[in-house]
C-alpha cells in the first residue's frame, strides 16, 4: 500500500503519530475528525474512538483524513463509519427528528413508535433520549401536550372538552393533569389569570434569561428569552387579568436555587434551542 501523500517532514511526522497513537490507545473521542488510522493486516481504516480491538503498533498507518486512507487502498470500518458524521452528530440528529415527530403528531406517540421511526431499538433509544435531552421521552411528550393546551386556552377560539380530549387520552385525564400543567384551573388560565395573584422572578440559565411565575396553585409559566423586559411583557400578555407581583428576596433566592439545580450546561449543544428549552422548562415545572 502507498504511503500517506500528505506526510510532514520525518521528525514532525513521528512526533505527530506518537500523539495520535496515544490518543488511539485511549480511544479518545476528541480525536475523531483529527485523523484516522488504517490496519495493514485487515485493510480497514477507523476513527480513533472505534470500539474494535486495538491493533499492534507496527500494523497501524495514520492518515489525516478518510480520503487519504481511501487513496492508500484502505476500506472504511462498518462499525465506526469513518468519514461520515460523528456518532454524536448522528445521535443528535435522531433525537431532533424524534422531537419533531412528536411535536407534529396530532396524537400521542409511544416510545416504540418513535424509536422505530428513527431506526433505533426502543431500549437503546430510551437511554439515549434521556441522556441527550435530560428527561424521558414520556415526560417530554407531556411537556409538548402542555404547550399545546396552553396555546389552545390562550387563543380566541372556544375550547371544548372534545378538543382537549384530542390532546390527552380523555377529558378526564386533562382535568386530572390540568392544575399541574397550568398552575391554576383551566377557566382561570383561559381568562388570563382572572382572580389570581402571580409572583414571578427572573434569573439566568445556560440557555438564556428565564422567568418563573407561580400562583398559589403552583408554577404557571416558565418563559425563556434574551431580554428581561420582553419576558415581563410576555407574562403580562399571558395573565393580563391577574395581579402580578415581583418576587421578594426570598422568592428570588428560591427561584435562583431551582434554576441552578435544574440547569444542565453540559447538555449536548447540537440539539436545537427549542428542544433544550422545552426540556429545561419541564424540569423547572
Amino acid at each position: 500500500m502507498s504511503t500517506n501523500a500528505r506526510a510532514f517532514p520525518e521528525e514532525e511526522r513521528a512526533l505527530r503519530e506518537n500523539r495520535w497513537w496515544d490518543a488511539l490507545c485511549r480511544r479518545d473521542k476528541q480525536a475523531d475528525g483529527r485523523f484516522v488510522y488504517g490496519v495493514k493486516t485487515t485493510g480497514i481504516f477507523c476513527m480513533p474512538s472505534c470500539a474494535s480491538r486495538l491493533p499492534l503498533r507496527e500494523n497501524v498507518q495514520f492518515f489525516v483524513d478518510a480520503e487519504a486512507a481511501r487513496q492508500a487502498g484502505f476500506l472504511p470500518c462498518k462499525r465506526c463509519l469513518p468519514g461520515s458524521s460523528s456518532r454524536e452528530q448522528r445521535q443528535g440528529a435522531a433525537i431532533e427528528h424524534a422531537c419533531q415527530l412528536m411535536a407534529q403528531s396530532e396524537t400521542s406517540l409511544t416510545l416504540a413508535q418513535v424509536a422505530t421511526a428513527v431506526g433505533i431499538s426502543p431500549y437503546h433509544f430510551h437511554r439515549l433520549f434521556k441522556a441527550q435531552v435530560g428527561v424521558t421521552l414520556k415526560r417530554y411528550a407531556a411537556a409538548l401536550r402542555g404547550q399545546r393546551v396552553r396555546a389552545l386556552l390562550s387563543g380566541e377560539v372556544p375550547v371544548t372538552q372534545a378538543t382537549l380530549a384530542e390532546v390527552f387520552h380523555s377529558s378526564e385525564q386533562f382535568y386530572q393533569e390540568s392544575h399541574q400543567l397550568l398552575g391554576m384551573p383551566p377557566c382561570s388560565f383561559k381568562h388570563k389569570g382572572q382572580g389570581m395573584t402571580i409572583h414571578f422572578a427572573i434569573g439566568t440559565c445556560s440557555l438564556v434569561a428565564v422567568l418563573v411565575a407561580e400562583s398559589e396553585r403552583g408554577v404557571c409559566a416558565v418563559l425563556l428569552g434574551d431580554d428581561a423586559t420582553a419576558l415581563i411583557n410576555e407574562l403580562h400578555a399571558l395573565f393580563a387579568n391577574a395581579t402580578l407581583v415581583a418576587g421578594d428576596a426570598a422568592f428570588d433566592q428560591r427561584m435562583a436555587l431551582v434554576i441552578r439545580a435544574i440547569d444542565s450546561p453540559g447538555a449536548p449543544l447540537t440539539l436545537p434551542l427549542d428542544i433544550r428549552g422545552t426540556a429545561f422548562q419541564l424540569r423547572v415545572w
Side-chain angles (χ1 to χ4, degrees):
M1 295 183 182
S2 61
T3 57
N4 187 349
R6 304 185 188 185
F8 290 118
E10 195 64 31
E11 290 185 2
E12 293 182 10
R13 184 176 64 181
L15 290 173
R16 179 192 62 175
E17 292 190 353
N18 284 339
R19 292 194 299 270
W20 285 356
W21 172 249
D22 179 62
L24 171 57
C25 291
R26 291 183 284 108
R27 297 300 191 189
D28 186 1
K29 291 183 180 181
Q30 299 299 319
D32 289 349
R34 289 162 48 196
F35 70 90
V36 298
Y37 70 95
V39 182
K40 300 175 186 177
T41 53
T42 63
I44 301 296
F45 73 94
C46 304
M47 293 193 296
S49 66
C50 184
S52 59
R53 187 174 64 179
L54 184 69
L56 296 175
R57 177 65 181 87
E58 59 265 27
N59 293 331
V60 171
Q61 187 172 350
F62 292 104
F63 301 92
V64 293
D65 57 29
E67 182 57 31
R70 289 191 180 95
Q71 290 180 2
F74 289 88
L75 297 174
C77 172
K78 293 184 178 180
R79 176 180 292 182
C80 66
L81 301 174
S84 63
S85 57
S86 69
R87 181 175 61 180
E88 286 76 14
Q89 289 174 322
R90 294 193 298 274
Q91 290 176 343
I95 296 300
E96 182 178 351
H97 182 43
C99 292
Q100 290 171 347
L101 287 175
M102 289 187 289
Q104 295 167 2
S105 177
E106 294 295 327
T107 59
S108 296
L109 300 176
T110 65
L111 171 64
Q113 288 173 323
V114 178
T116 299
V118 299
I120 302 176
S121 71
Y123 174 76
H124 180 60
F125 182 74
H126 171 74
R127 297 179 62 188
L128 177 63
F129 190 93
K130 186 173 182 180
Q132 290 261 346
V133 182
V135 295
T136 64
L137 183 138
K138 181 178 180 180
R139 295 200 66 207
Y140 188 85
L144 293 178
R145 288 200 304 273
Q147 289 177 355
R148 188 177 174 195
V149 166
R150 286 189 288 274
L152 286 170
L153 292 174
S154 298
E156 298 299 328
V157 179
V159 181
T160 65
Q161 288 191 0
T163 303
L164 297 172
E166 290 179 3
V167 182
F168 292 82
H169 295 299
S170 65
S171 298
E172 182 182 359
Q173 183 186 3
F174 166 70
Y175 284 105
Q176 287 176 347
E177 298 183 23
S178 61
H179 284 218
Q180 182 178 0
L181 278 172
L182 305 173
M184 62 185 67
C187 60
S188 296
F189 192 96
K190 177 65 177 174
H191 293 95
K192 297 184 178 295
Q194 188 172 22
M196 307 293 293
T197 298
I198 296 174
H199 295 81
F200 69 92
I202 297 176
T204 57
C205 65
S206 63
L207 300 171
V208 282
V210 55
L211 182 151
V212 179
E214 188 176 75
S215 73
E216 62 267 24
R217 299 288 186 93
V219 175
C220 57
V222 180
L223 307 177
L224 302 175
D226 297 319
D227 181 71
T229 301
L231 291 179
I232 294 174
N233 291 337
E234 185 178 353
L235 183 68
H236 276 281
L238 280 173
F239 302 113
N241 298 323
T243 301
L244 301 182
V245 180
D248 57 18
F251 185 85
D252 288 348
Q253 184 177 22
R254 181 164 65 88
M255 288 299 100
L257 290 173
V258 169
I259 292 170
R260 191 178 307 124
I262 294 172
D263 199 5
S264 299
L269 298 180
T270 55
L271 293 177
L273 183 63
D274 60 336
I275 294 176
R276 290 184 286 134
T278 298
F280 177 86
Q281 289 170 320
L282 174 60
R283 293 196 297 272
V284 174
W285 227 279

